[in-house]
């Protein structure tokens, strides 16, 4: 049985979704919806119907599933139209541009039972999966502290797309949201965040650099630094070798320390003592917990197919995606108001 998937938004990531769908034996591209003239030519080349509006496309094509890869502000109306028609959707991250919009998607999905998968692709990545397995198997013992980095240098041309320099984007909402989601997935729910942000390097209204102190509900403490204006090999985009547009630079970007052992991602070294009663005066043994070599975005598509067929619950539901968005927005609020901001206040505010 072939799963027919329609695409809303054939831009940068949308075209990657097309390649993935076309390359998968279990799926076909049912149609493209995008108002841009370039997308008309693309649909012609691919031999699929083209629409400029999502509602007529969903009604005419009746796809099994839909991918929402439109600008953030349009995720909610497109996702709601899919849910309304019983069509499972993969909504690119962030789930929406605001918690108010995200709440509408959560309510519609939960009331109707139509599944929404949010496109936090890292959860499908072999390194994050291996880390999750090690944590769940108790290999690290109870987690104590975590520390991570996303430090890379974007080219100036990247910021010619003005929306990337304005409120609602910047390194926090474009990139940090992935790190926050991975931390929530691996460590647990975030209780509160303190943060400093800076726009000193690029001079935009949005931050180019941020540092975070995080308290998780389970008592684990974490720190994280991020910048899109610093040269370094310490970012998941490099270390995982799984990103779509970046070279591989093997190494670590995330450090998870527990009572029994520590794990670094993406090099996947597990550090432990030889005996249970040993401590900081004993040498550590280095084991290896590699991923399975699978491809993150292919894994995400396969999971989405299972969600469409109602064979799996979304790994990142609308509610989960909303919490990741709330924690990410909490970073900006914490920095602006110079205080600890809780996830619960973010979710209650909207
Ligand atoms: N998970 C990832 O790896 C990843 C990577 C990049 C972008 N994204 C997310 O994907 C989304 C798209 O980002 P992008 O970089 O591809 O943007 P983009 O600007 O390159 O593409 C967006 C496309 O949507 C089209 N569009 C606009 N309004 C539309 C509407 N109402 N209906 C249908 N199409 C419409 C535009 O014409 C454009 O072709 C964003 O939410 C972004 O955060 C995710």
């Amino acid at each position: 049985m072939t799963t027919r998937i329609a695409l809303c938004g054939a831009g940068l990531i949308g075209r990657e979704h097309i390649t993935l769908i076309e390359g998968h034996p279990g799926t076909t591209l049912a149609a493209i919806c995008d108002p841009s003239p370039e997308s008309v030519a693309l649909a012609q080349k691919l031999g699929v119907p083209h629409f400029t509006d999502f509602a007529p496309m969903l009604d005419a094509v009746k796809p099994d599933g839909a991918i929402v890869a439109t600008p953030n502000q349009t995720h909610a109306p497109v996702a709601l139209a899919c849910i309304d028609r019983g069509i499972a959707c993969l909504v690119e991250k962030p789930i929406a541009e605001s918690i108010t919009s995200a709440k509408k998607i959560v309510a519609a999905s939960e009331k109707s039972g139509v599944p929404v998968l949010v496109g936090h692709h890292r959860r499908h990545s072999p390194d994050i999966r291996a880390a999750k397995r090690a944590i769940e198997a108790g290999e690290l013992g109870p987690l104590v502290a975590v520390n991570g980095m996303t430090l890379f240098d974007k080219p100036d041309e990247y910021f010619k797309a003005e929306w990337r320099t304005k409120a609602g984007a910047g390194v926090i909402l474009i990139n940090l949201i992935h790190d926050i989601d991975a931390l929530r997935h691996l460590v647990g729910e975030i209780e509160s965040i303190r943060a400093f942000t800076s726009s000193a390097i690029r001079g935009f209204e949005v931050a180019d650099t941020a540092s975070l102190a995080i308290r998780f509900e389970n008592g684990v403490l974490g720190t994280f630094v991020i910048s899109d204006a610093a040269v370094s090999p310490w970012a998941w985009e490099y270390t995982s070798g799984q990103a779509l547009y970046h070279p591989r630079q093997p190494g670590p970007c995330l450090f998870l320390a527990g009572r029994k052992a520590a794990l670094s991602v993406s090099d996947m070294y597990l550090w432990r003592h030889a005996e249970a009663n040993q401590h900081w005066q004993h040498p550590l043994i280095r084991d290896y917990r590699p991923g399975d070599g699978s491809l993150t975005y292919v894994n995400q598509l396969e999971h989405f197919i299972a969600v469409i067929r109602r064979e799996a619950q979304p790994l990142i539901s609308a509610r989960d995606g909303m919490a990741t968005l709330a924690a990410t927005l909490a970073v900006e609020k914490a920095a602006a108001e110079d205080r600890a901001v809780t996830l619960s206040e973010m979710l209650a505010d909207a």
Side-chain angles (χ1 to χ4, degrees), residues 2-331:
T2 301
T3 302
R4 297 166 59 252
I5 299 178
L7 176 71
C8 304
L12 186 70
I13 193 71
R15 288 192 296 273
E16 298 291 345
H17 284 297
I18 291 173
T19 306
L20 288 158
I21 291 168
E22 301 260 291
H24 194 285
T27 57
T28 53
L29 184 65
I32 290 175
C33 154
D34 192 308
S36 72
E38 309 88 74
S39 66
V40 179
L42 179 64
Q44 266 170 5
K45 197 177 112 197
L46 294 164
V48 298
H50 178 273
F51 296 80
T52 50
D53 201 359
F54 55 87
M57 176 183 76
L58 298 173
D59 290 336
V61 173
K62 299 186 176 27
D64 301 317
I67 294 179
V68 184
T70 55
N72 300 352
Q73 295 77 358
T74 60
H75 287 185
V78 184
L80 291 171
C82 292
I83 295 167
D84 207 30
R85 292 160 176 78
I87 299 167
C89 52
L90 163 55
V91 181
E92 268 301 350
K93 61 81 200 168
I95 181 171
E97 83 294 352
S98 68
I99 298 169
T100 305
S101 294
K103 279 186 173 173
K104 291 181 187 158
I105 302 176
V106 172
S109 175
E110 291 183 356
K111 187 164 178 229
S112 64
V114 178
V116 170
L117 172 67
V118 184
H120 286 293
H121 55 267
R122 280 192 211 175
R123 293 203 199 185
H124 308 279
S125 175
D127 55 354
I128 299 294
R129 281 179 172 180
K132 180 84 172 162
R133 270 198 306 276
I135 292 166
E136 286 187 345
E139 287 200 276
L140 309 192
L143 286 174
V144 178
V146 298
N147 175 29
M149 283 173 280
T150 290
L151 301 171
F152 44 37
D153 55 329
K154 291 183 181 173
D156 291 343
E157 306 85 71
Y158 174 90
F159 297 101
K160 285 188 181 149
E162 218 189 351
W163 68 270
R164 295 186 168 126
T165 71
K166 301 283 182 200
V171 76
I172 293 176
L173 273 155
I174 295 176
N175 303 105
L176 181 67
I177 192 163
H178 286 302
D179 299 300
I180 297 263
D181 188 71
L183 286 169
R184 290 185 57 249
H185 181 55
L186 293 175
V187 182
E189 191 53 277
I190 289 172
E191 188 266 334
S192 60
I193 293 182
R194 281 182 175 270
F196 292 107
T197 58
S198 168
S199 53
I201 305 293
R202 298 200 179 277
F204 298 141
E205 70 179 54
V206 289
D208 50 59
T209 305
S211 65
L212 280 61
I214 308 166
R215 185 197 298 277
F216 294 85
E217 283 183 356
N218 55 12
V220 177
L221 298 183
T223 56
F224 203 93
V225 288
I226 187 163
S227 179
D228 63 22
V231 177
S232 104
W234 304 306
W236 180 89
E237 279 74 4
Y238 300 137
T239 62
S240 66
Q242 291 278 332
L244 293 169
Y245 334 106
H246 307 285
R248 179 158 193 244
Q249 180 59 55
C253 64
L254 178 62
F255 303 86
L256 304 149
R259 283 295 288 150
K260 275 170 63 179
L263 180 71
S264 52
V265 178
S266 313
D267 53 5
M268 308 314 291
Y269 289 130
L270 186 131
W271 298 86
R272 63 179 173 83
H273 289 299
E275 310 283 342
N277 59 352
Q278 291 183 336
H279 48 73
W280 66 342
Q281 289 170 332
H282 297 97
L284 289 157
I285 291 169
R286 193 179 76 174
D287 292 332
Y288 187 41
R289 294 289 178 273
D292 59 13
S294 60
L295 295 173
T296 299
Y297 286 89
V298 174
N299 293 342
Q300 177 176 255
L301 178 59
E302 285 180 347
H303 176 63
F304 182 44
I305 294 167
V307 168
I308 290 171
R309 295 178 181 170
R310 309 300 195 264
E311 293 164 3
Q313 293 294 320
L315 181 58
I316 311 116
S317 66
R319 183 170 288 279
D320 210 355
M322 178 171 71
T324 289
L325 173 65
T328 308
L329 293 171
V331 173

